[in-house]
Amino acid sequence: MEGVKASLPQTLVREIESGLSSVESTCTALASHFSHNHVCFQLLQQLIEPGMTSCAKDRQTALDCKGEGNAAFGRASFKHALDCYTKGLRFISLNTQIDVSHAATLLVNRAATLHRLELLDAAVQDCTRAIELQPDYAKAWYRRGRIQADLRNYENAVEDMKKVLSLESSVGGQKQVKREMADLEILMSEMTVLDEASHMIPAVDSRKWEPRIMESVMDTSSTWTPEKQWGLSTEQNLEPGSLILQEAPYAAIVLKACRNSHCHYCFGQLPANPMACNTCAIPLYCTEACRDKALGCGSDRATGGSLHLQNDILSGEHKHECGGASWSAVLPTDAVLAARIFVRSQALGHLDNQLDGFCHHYENLSGMDKLDLHVLAVVMANVLKCNSGEVTDNVAAKLVLLIARVRANAMAIVSISSPDTAVPMTELSAPDVSSSTSTLLSIEQVKVAQAVYVKASRMNHACDPNVHVSFQSRCLSARTIKSVLAGAPLEISYGPQLGEMFYEDRQAWLRERYCFTCTCSACKHITHSDLLLIALHCSKASCEGVVPGPAVSPATESEAFQRTLQKQAQCLGCGTLVDVATASIAAKESMEELERSDSSPLFWVLVGNFGSDKRCLWVFSGVCRIKSEVSSPSAGKNLKVMVAAVLHLLGCCRDVLHSSSKQLARVEDLVAQVLCTADQPQDAISHCQTSIQILEQVYSQDHIAVANERLKLTSIAHAAGDTKCALLNLGIVDRIMRIHYGPHYSVMFPYIASLQQVLDKSGSFVKN
């Protein structure tokens, strides 16, 4: 885009950046420049023409991938072979019988690889897909029969082998198949005897799932105020955990960073055998159903599985992007999402009035941002015209404001994941928590997609919100996390919450991202949570007062805050001035020896800068580095030394930080993880408990951050054999999770249900 901007006449640039002319007139002038400028023409060609991109189907690329996959399979590099076959399937089309044959071969080859990786269900699925493409493909039937046998589905395996026998023409091949069928029939008869015996034993459910509870959605209404414009409020008194909204997106798109790891329609973790788009090489889907919904197609089994278009205007969000053009892969995500919204609104016959009422903050944008929006809008207008040929006049002007609305109103869809596996837990089977060496459990959210929700987007921001939003696939659910009185506004956090970022930093972030100054109750004055983000010890040993860290802003008239950007700060308890620039000499000295042997950069430092002295900030980094080293296979004999070092660093942090500082909670949490890694879970319990006590002061007892830490403590206590502690904390986790995610939260967090089942064997489930 920089080349395009450089080609623009400066008079036009100034006119756009000033905002003095109407968007319609500046877009018309910019569109005229695009139609006559060679640089702009080349850009549009690269974005629109399939032959100029690597996003189109290409048989040779697919065959090259197959060859590379075969070579990797031959040297037992099955993971690499799997990636190669999947890439090949991404590039192969189904336009000719030759391509269909290649696709079937790639599917069977991938099934063989999945078989070697012991992903048997996925392997069966790929064989079935190959059979649907090429019903007389004997190798697909044979491979599926072998996998069915390994799954002990002997009856299905025999049926597949019978089909192989009917397709096999060679005498030697028929003899081999008959021998395998005979072996399978023996195994099948033995299995029948075992099945009859097993009926005498009551079945035990290996996973304790709660029944799906149908919940009623509370009534809400849209409200408008001059200060915040549109908002959402409740019509009745609500208790914590009340479901106030469930909504599917108006439009949604996977983030670029997740294109190869998450389904482009439902946004779940991709399986080992994802499905590619039929007509381009960009998206991947977890199932045929997701692929067909994204393309606006359905599978007609009566006609042999051919695809037919649906008349549902709500489906087919990828359809206008398909065909091999690169623009949907190259352009910014919010611009492509705006195009999806525009195409849907065109199908509806008009731009939805509800979306038209969304704020866009265009007038408050910088000149550079206005120019970016204009260029993107004109590019998108040309792209959509090329794809549909039905785009009306002034499309670019509409897209300028539409992209701005997307930036102001789009919500991030998050998936629950484990930091240890980086795989969303909604796609994982419950981990083995039955042993004393179970994995340290925790909750983390990963942004996977961006979406516009018509009703949810009306909720305004508060730094201390009363509503929590969660996602299952594309569907949004909103629940109250506090008691809310009838008529009160329902508010979510647009980003940083109280206890996560300082007052002034939150304000700056919101002004830059959403062009408003937050006036919520948490922003009227510096709160207790702000003080505890970085709270230092008073220099008087007998004083428990808080010394504000340097990042706390002087947002009130109190002189105690006027000094916080300097080298001295005043204790809020006794008034003593503390030299924060030299408060951590002990911590600095303890780190020097570790620094000499540290070849990796310090990846995290405590927020803030104690004057010009950053030496005390090395403490937390040292703990993080030791945690990493303890986890490495080479730790060995140095394990005790590393644990001693991390405990020494913890002491240094306790000398510098106040006992209620959130940063001390993070250090205590890391120390607990180090001790668990060193197989000392009993010693880790007290550190995790200290972290929880601090977090309850920074947030509240029912905050999701507290639930996360208590879940860690539950798994630590289980590993240490302290069932009473584990049950107590899991009971509190259960209560908090029900408030935030509803009574069926175990569907989203199966590992919690699995841990609960294991602990239930040791005693009654404790409710708090």
Side-chain angles (χ1 to χ4, degrees):
M1 293 294 184
E2 296 305 317
V4 170
K5 293 178 187 177
S7 74
L8 300 179
Q10 287 303 303
T11 53
L12 178 57
V13 171
R14 287 193 292 270
E15 187 178 1
I16 294 172
E17 291 182 341
S18 68
L20 298 176
S21 301
S22 68
V23 175
E24 289 80 3
S25 63
T26 50
C27 281
T28 299
L30 186 57
S32 175
H33 174 78
F34 262 72
S35 64
H36 295 94
N37 183 269
H38 180 67
V39 174
C40 298
F41 175 79
Q42 279 189 320
L43 171 67
L44 291 175
Q45 290 294 105
Q46 291 170 1
L47 293 174
I48 295 170
E49 290 296 328
M52 300 181 68
T53 75
S54 60
C55 299
K57 297 289 187 180
D58 183 75
R59 183 189 298 170
Q60 189 55 52
T61 301
L63 293 176
D64 290 343
C65 292
K66 186 183 82 168
E68 186 178 350
N70 292 345
F73 188 93
R75 59 177 183 269
S77 297
F78 301 121
K79 201 87 187 307
H80 181 56
L82 183 66
D83 293 338
C84 291
Y85 294 137
T86 297
K87 185 178 178 181
L89 286 164
R90 217 167 179 170
F91 280 94
I92 198 68
S93 72
L94 301 177
N95 293 334
T96 68
Q97 191 55 46
I98 294 176
D99 289 331
V100 169
S101 178
H102 287 314
T105 302
L106 282 164
L107 283 166
V108 171
N109 287 3
R110 189 169 72 174
T113 307
L114 292 166
H115 195 180
R116 291 297 188 95
L117 292 170
E118 298 183 357
L119 299 171
L120 304 184
D121 290 333
V124 168
Q125 196 173 36
D126 268 3
C127 289
T128 302
R129 290 166 177 167
I131 290 168
E132 289 177 351
L133 288 176
Q134 204 169 354
D136 60 348
Y137 191 13
K139 189 174 180 180
W141 290 99
Y142 179 75
R143 174 62 61 183
R144 192 173 73 172
R146 292 289 301 273
I147 301 168
Q148 294 279 25
D150 285 350
L151 284 168
R152 303 178 76 180
N153 297 329
Y154 298 123
E155 187 173 350
N156 292 337
V158 168
E159 291 302 315
D160 285 345
M161 289 301 180
K162 287 180 180 178
K163 184 65 178 180
V164 176
L165 194 59
S166 69
L167 295 172
E168 180 60 47
S169 58
S170 69
V171 176
Q174 289 182 349
K175 287 183 178 180
Q176 180 183 344
V177 173
K178 287 178 180 178
R179 283 196 299 269
E180 293 192 29
M181 284 178 61
D183 293 339
L184 288 171
E185 287 170 350
I186 293 172
L187 291 170
M188 188 165 56
S189 62
E190 293 175 352
M191 179 60 68
T192 302
V193 174
L194 290 173
D195 286 343
E196 291 174 353
S198 67
H199 290 161
M200 305 296 293
I201 304 172
V204 178
D205 188 1
S206 62
R207 217 187 228 179
K208 184 177 180 180
W209 294 106
E210 292 185 4
R212 184 80 177 198
I213 300 173
M214 297 302 296
E215 299 177 83
S216 58
V217 181
M218 302 300 175
D219 293 331
T220 59
S221 58
S222 296
T223 57
W224 194 90
T225 61
E227 297 81 16
K228 294 190 175 183
Q229 299 184 359
W230 286 110
L232 210 62
S233 64
T234 173
E235 298 181 0
Q236 60 197 98
N237 294 337
L238 299 176
E239 293 298 317
S242 300
L243 180 64
I244 60 168
L245 182 62
Q246 283 188 320
E247 185 180 9
Y250 190 92
I253 188 170
V254 71
L255 297 179
K256 288 185 177 181
C258 299
R259 283 178 179 170
N260 292 322
S261 59
H262 289 76
C263 175
H264 286 223
Y265 184 78
C266 74
F267 310 127
Q269 181 81 8
L270 284 173
N273 60 334
M275 294 295 294
C277 175
N278 289 330
T279 54
C280 76
I282 299 173
L284 289 171
Y285 303 101
C286 58
T287 62
E288 291 89 337
C290 282
R291 179 197 63 191
D292 294 348
K293 288 176 183 177
L295 292 171
C297 303
S299 180
D300 186 357
R301 300 298 177 187
T303 58
S306 61
L307 295 176
H308 66 276
L309 294 180
Q310 295 175 339
N311 293 321
D312 183 6
I313 58 174
L314 305 184
S315 64
E317 61 187 10
H318 173 62
K319 186 165 54 178
H320 66 281
E321 303 163 357
C322 221
S326 66
W327 64 269
S328 64
V330 173
L331 295 177
T333 302
D334 48 18
V336 181
L337 180 57
R340 291 187 171 189
I341 293 172
F342 183 84
V343 169
R344 176 178 172 179
S345 67
Q346 289 290 103
L348 290 167
H350 57 84
L351 189 61
D352 195 299
N353 291 332
Q354 292 177 306
L355 291 177
D356 199 37
F358 280 4
C359 61
H360 52 68
H361 306 306
Y362 178 79
E363 298 80 4
N364 298 324
L365 297 177
S366 67
M368 184 179 298
D369 287 339
K370 290 176 181 176
L371 181 62
D372 286 340
L373 286 178
H374 273 71
V375 173
L376 278 174
V378 171
V379 169
M380 294 302 305
N382 280 276
V383 164
L384 293 176
K385 183 177 181 180
C386 178
N387 277 272
S388 66
E390 300 175 356
V391 178
T392 59
D393 294 336
N394 298 324
V395 168
K398 294 178 180 178
L399 285 171
V400 166
L401 298 183
L402 186 53
I403 298 172
R405 286 190 176 97
V406 167
R407 290 182 177 180
N409 294 280
M411 303 177 73
I413 294 179
V414 298
S415 176
I416 307 300
S417 72
S418 163
D420 295 327
T421 61
V423 176
M425 284 297 186
T426 52
E427 299 296 325
L428 282 178
S429 58
D432 180 14
V433 294
S434 59
S435 68
S436 61
T437 58
S438 63
T439 304
L440 192 67
L441 300 181
S442 63
I443 303 166
E444 285 202 3
Q445 294 184 334
V446 177
K447 294 178 182 179
V448 297
Q450 191 177 24
V452 170
Y453 294 88
V454 173
K455 196 168 184 179
S457 293
R458 289 186 179 272
M459 286 189 284
N460 284 311
H461 165 82
C463 294
D464 189 15
N466 57 15
V467 172
H468 175 262
V469 170
S470 61
F471 300 88
Q472 279 190 277
S473 182
R474 299 160 63 93
C475 182
L476 173 147
S477 296
R479 300 176 187 278
T480 55
I481 52 177
K482 300 178 181 178
S483 296
V484 183
L485 297 177
L490 297 166
E491 297 171 319
I492 60 176
S493 173
Y494 288 0
Q497 294 187 30
L498 183 68
E500 295 176 355
M501 189 181 288
F502 292 106
Y503 159 83
E504 195 166 75
D505 293 333
R506 295 197 309 268
Q507 291 280 6
W509 189 91
L510 290 166
R511 280 193 298 268
E512 180 181 354
R513 182 67 178 80
Y514 294 104
C515 303
F516 73 86
T517 299
C518 184
T519 58
C520 72
S521 59
C523 290
K524 291 180 180 178
H525 54 80
I526 288 187
T527 65
H528 183 69
S529 296
D530 287 320
L531 293 176
L532 295 182
L533 281 176
I534 295 184
L536 305 178
H537 258 311
C538 179
S539 57
K540 286 187 176 180
S542 59
C543 179
E544 291 297 324
V546 172
V547 179
V552 178
S553 167
T556 72
E557 294 81 7
S558 172
E559 290 186 3
F561 297 106
Q562 300 293 338
R563 302 177 182 273
T564 56
L565 295 179
Q566 304 173 9
K567 292 186 177 182
Q568 287 188 324
Q570 190 176 37
C571 174
L572 301 183
C574 66
T576 301
L577 287 177
V578 177
D579 185 358
V580 297
T582 58
S584 56
I585 295 298
K588 174 256 182 183
E589 291 176 350
S590 69
M591 282 302 299
E592 283 182 344
E593 184 175 351
L594 291 170
E595 286 289 315
R596 294 191 192 104
S597 60
D598 185 15
S599 59
S600 60
L602 302 179
F603 76 92
W604 200 91
V605 295
L606 289 172
V607 179
N609 178 0
F610 295 94
S612 60
D613 193 321
K614 294 185 179 180
R615 291 171 294 182
C616 58
L617 311 183
W618 297 341
V619 176
F620 192 94
S621 301
V623 177
C624 293
R625 184 174 61 80
I626 291 175
K627 173 180 175 287
S628 175
E629 290 184 3
V630 169
S631 304
S632 68
S634 59
K637 299 178 180 179
N638 295 325
L639 201 57
K640 290 185 178 180
V641 175
M642 291 180 182
V643 170
V646 81
L647 291 175
H648 173 70
L649 292 176
L650 172 62
C652 295
C653 285
R654 287 174 173 172
D655 290 340
V656 174
L657 299 170
H658 190 272
S659 60
S660 297
S661 170
K662 183 183 177 183
Q663 300 307 332
L664 183 59
R666 298 188 71 172
V667 176
E668 295 277 7
D669 175 71
L670 274 174
V671 170
Q673 293 183 50
V674 169
L675 290 171
C676 282
T677 307
D679 200 21
Q680 299 179 31
Q682 188 64 53
D683 296 333
I685 290 177
S686 61
H687 297 284
C688 199
Q689 289 172 331
T690 301
S691 178
I692 290 169
Q693 292 168 3
I694 296 172
L695 292 178
E696 287 181 335
Q697 295 182 61
V698 174
Y699 297 109
S700 67
Q701 290 186 345
D702 290 337
H703 197 277
I704 194 65
V706 174
N708 181 42
E709 198 67 16
R710 285 195 178 275
L711 183 59
K712 290 181 183 178
L713 178 55
T714 301
S715 56
I716 292 172
H718 171 53
D722 191 341
T723 304
K724 182 178 179 181
C725 177
L727 286 169
L728 173 64
N729 281 279
L730 192 57
I732 299 173
V733 170
D734 176 73
R735 174 172 55 79
I736 299 174
M737 298 300 285
R738 288 175 182 272
I739 292 173
H740 286 77
Y741 295 96
H744 51 268
Y745 73 88
S746 59
V747 175
M748 301 176 65
F749 303 89
Y751 53 99
I752 297 181
S754 179
L755 182 58
Q756 175 183 326
Q757 186 178 21
V758 170
L759 293 175
D760 278 350
K761 295 178 181 178
S762 304
S764 300
F765 190 67
V766 179
K767 297 288 185 181
N768 187 38

